[in-house]
Amino acid sequence: MSIVTLLSGGMDSCLMSVLTKETGRDQKPLFINYGQLNYNYEYKSVMAHASQFGFQKPTVIDVSGYGKIISSGLTDSSKHIVDEAFLPGRNMLFLLIASSFALQNKCSAISIGLLREDTAIFPDQTNDFIYSAEQTIAKALGQKIEIAAPLRDFYKKDVIELAREKGIVASYSCHAGGEVPCGMCISCMEFKI
């Protein structure tokens, strides 16, 4: 069956989508605008990546009001990009939207680009969160939608290396949303490790 891939335009999700394509599984890319500061660059990256690898045009879901009301350094430039980076409920929102989209489009699974659990800095990046979310969403939808995290055994250095091997060039990972990556946000710092 088909799978919904949460495609953010960052290197992790771009690699995840390429690895999914290599399995031969039909995927429906989904891009979520949650009000992120880097929306424009993420969106351009998603579209360029889809074009480079021959994916169908990603479906865009706009819930930008979420980031305006439930804000963080990812959605509000007056907040600290690192110290206030946690956006409460973001990954749960992504998984619920993607699962609902999957159900409507007869997909049996969704895929999110979370890396190794020992690199998790937020509570919604843990194995327990993924398991609990899958169970809760199944109850909410009346049907199980598998939540896959195919990069779960990867560190960022592994992602960078494999993304280069696969020829992934259209990714954008800075949370600040500038044309030139800020070099200070959590995402930029991952590339320095």
Side-chain angles (χ1 to χ4, degrees), residues 99-176:
S99 295
S100 299
F101 183 76
L103 184 68
Q104 291 277 304
N105 287 277
K106 298 179 176 36
C107 299
S108 61
I110 63 171
S111 186
I112 187 168
L114 295 175
L115 303 184
R116 289 181 58 98
E117 184 174 33
D118 60 351
T119 65
I121 55 176
F122 301 127
D124 61 355
Q125 297 173 322
T126 65
N127 290 333
D128 182 55
F129 166 74
I130 294 170
Y131 173 78
S132 298
E134 188 175 77
Q135 300 305 308
T136 299
I137 289 169
K139 290 177 183 176
L141 300 182
Q143 178 179 325
K144 181 179 179 187
I145 302 291
E146 176 194 355
I147 298 175
L151 303 181
R152 210 59 180 147
D153 293 330
F154 287 57
Y155 287 108
K156 181 59 90 173
K157 66 179 178 59
D158 303 320
V159 170
I160 294 167
E161 184 179 316
L162 192 53
R164 284 188 185 132
E165 286 177 26
K166 302 291 182 185
I168 295 170
V169 294
S171 68
Y172 181 86
S173 297
C174 178
H175 291 151

Side-chain angles (χ1 to χ4, degrees), residues 34-50:
Y34 62 93
Q36 62 269 46
L37 295 172
N38 61 2
Y39 166 79
N40 289 328
Y41 289 103
E42 279 191 350
Y43 179 74
K44 287 177 188 173
S45 173
V46 163
M47 299 312 278
H49 178 73

Side-chain angles (χ1 to χ4, degrees), residues 34 64-72 75 79 86-90:
Y34 62 93
S64 55
Y66 186 83
K68 290 181 178 125
I69 303 300
I70 312 297
S71 65
S72 80
T75 62
K79 293 193 171 193
F86 181 57
L87 182 61
R90 181 179 77 147

Side-chain angles (χ1 to χ4, degrees), residues 45-103:
S45 173
V46 163
M47 299 312 278
H49 178 73
S51 177
Q52 178 188 357
F53 286 93
F55 297 135
Q56 70 181 54
K57 184 178 177 184
T59 299
V60 178
I61 295 183
D62 186 341
V63 289
S64 55
Y66 186 83
K68 290 181 178 125
I69 303 300
I70 312 297
S71 65
S72 80
L74 304 181
T75 62
D76 182 345
S77 60
S78 72
K79 293 193 171 193
H80 195 276
I81 195 87
V82 175
D83 296 343
E84 297 176 280
F86 181 57
L87 182 61
R90 181 179 77 147
N91 282 343
M92 189 65 189
L93 177 69
F94 289 175
L95 296 178
L96 179 59
I97 289 170
S99 295
S100 299
F101 183 76
L103 184 68

